[in-house]
Amino acid sequence: MSAILSADDLNDFISPGVACIKPVETLPLQKPVDTVNSYEVTTEDKLFAEPPPPAHITLTDCLACSGCVTSAEAVLISLQSHSEVLHALDSAPCSFRERSCQQGSNSTNGDLGGAHIPPREAEKVFVASVSPQVRASLAATYGTTEQEAGWMIEQLLSGPNGLRTGGKYGNDFAWIIDTNAMRELGLVLGAEEVLASATLAEDTTAFEVEGAATTQPKKPILTSACPGWICYAEKTHPHVLPHLSRLKSPQALTGTLVKTVLSQTLNIDPSQIWHLAIMPCFDKKLEASREELTDIYWRPSSSTPSATQVRDVDCVITARELLMLAEIRSISFPALPRQPLTCSYRPSFPDLKLNNFLFPNSRTPSSRRKPQLPAAGSSGGYLYHILRTQQSLYPGSVIHSTRGRNADVIEYTLSLHDEVLFRAARYYGFRNIQNLVRKLKPAKKSRMPGGRTIGARKPGLKSEMDYAYVEVMACPGGCTNGGGQIKVEDVGALQGVRQGQGQKEWLASVDEAYYSMEDSSSAGEEAPRDAESDVPMDGIEESDVVNGISTSYIKGILAHWAALTGLEARQLVYTSYRKVDSDVGKEKGRETERVVELAGKIGGGW
């Protein structure tokens, strides 16, 4: 493991539970005493003089155990790492991109127009998706812009001087997708989810199956994009499962889109598509391993099922692991060109409408995708978009914010003429999350005759149950502070970068890079046009645009995605959650059976 990646400097995890079963299994048997005297009095230090060897906990152990409330086992990276990326690239040939680009260069407009050459049966198609937080971390490290950092990543993964210069087959990635595209889809659907929950009565039957993808979450709706928070809720606080948003995260949405669309348009099996996600957090590795995020939840019944489950996201690496990937191939990341790839290295996406959505710069500049505002936070802006959507329903309304006990707890109210119309909040960091889930715990009736209900709040007092929506993230400060991001102590170990900053100042510089994401529009150039209707995107009515995002355009993209794949929209964008019972203290035989069952699944599960 490289010096820039270690388990000692991660701060976005809870410490392992004291009841973790794995270290117990590694305790050595006590050595027999040479002379046994049943009447001899001795001390404990003589009985347990030798300390047990350190426990080795792998990702499979964590997925199969459920006796621990942490996802920190993933940092051992026994399954998903930069080494796995290189192994996958060398596992099968792929001349698909070269053949597609060659045919595209022979066309009159440099575009394939949907006439893609499908990969051969033995080949694979490699696709990567990158989060904006990762680009911000690299931008702060090398003193460049977020946009230029994205171009450097593209040069590494797909450029002429990148990964293709080495390896068994000289493979690289056909497409590099910005997860901001699918984040916009999540924002629009998240706002709709909140609007739908407001119309449901508290006694509705929609909450009968807790955590199911087909149910409507109950108020307050809690963000589900953070896998560390989801893992914690499923293992320790199942009472919050009915409150979790059913929406997939941008990483999961991107994975589902990649596997469903490419398998359909290229007429190949999903197993021939290998999807890498570059994320700011190690917990994203566990999200990718969820059984609910595999092809069995969306593959059409008419198709031939795969021998094994196919993950929507095959591998997740972080910003620091990305630098290791370049180092192993002897590529200097800071020396990579800070400019976009030429058309000869960027084949268009098989579907033209989705191509314009995923790659707004690939044809004409976009005036649609806007940079993030500081008020939206560094974790995707779910709460901010919902607040702006609610505000658009009440012209003249005002948003007020009140800081909680620390900077990671903020309460928001939407009011009109001193009347509160909407309440929401932001809770970052596990310490604050624990306070939130305790307050959401339902009241219990007393077993004593005439006793008062335990946990019932007094009438007239505000409660977290009054919130309509809560943005919950495990990392203090948000996703730019993820455990896989480049830390201030790493900067000094990287050649040719700035030094001398403290951690607080360093995080501020990462946030600055995140919020300074450049607007992709450019004055004096043609506005983007919908591939089918040929209507300029700037022609959308202003009332339809919230937070710089056109609701009707996003819904049109979702409808087109569903029609293209022949699947229902809910299969594509929603997921489910389940209570995970702890195996600690239960019979050894049952525990072993559960470990064997879960560890044998490629999809894993918590």
Side-chain angles (χ1 to χ4, degrees), residues 505-520:
E505 293 77 14
W506 170 250
L507 291 178
S509 63
V510 176
D511 287 343
E512 181 181 359
Y514 178 80
Y515 296 129
S516 64
M517 179 175 59
E518 297 181 16
D519 192 326
S520 55

Side-chain angles (χ1 to χ4, degrees), residues 183-224:
R183 178 186 63 86
E184 291 182 356
L185 176 64
L187 294 182
V188 171
L189 296 179
E192 283 194 340
E193 195 174 45
V194 173
L195 290 173
S197 68
T199 63
L200 296 177
E202 285 299 324
D203 59 347
T204 180
T205 58
F207 309 134
E208 287 183 356
V209 184
E210 297 184 353
T214 56
T215 62
Q216 170 66 36
K218 62 191 298 187
K219 295 174 59 178
I221 295 179
L222 308 177
T223 316
S224 58

Side-chain angles (χ1 to χ4, degrees), residues 269-271 295-301 303-306 310 567 571:
D269 191 83
S271 61
D295 66 327
I296 63 174
Y297 284 84
W298 53 258
R299 184 187 283 267
S301 57
S303 64
T304 303
S306 301
V310 178
L567 300 170
Q571 293 178 270

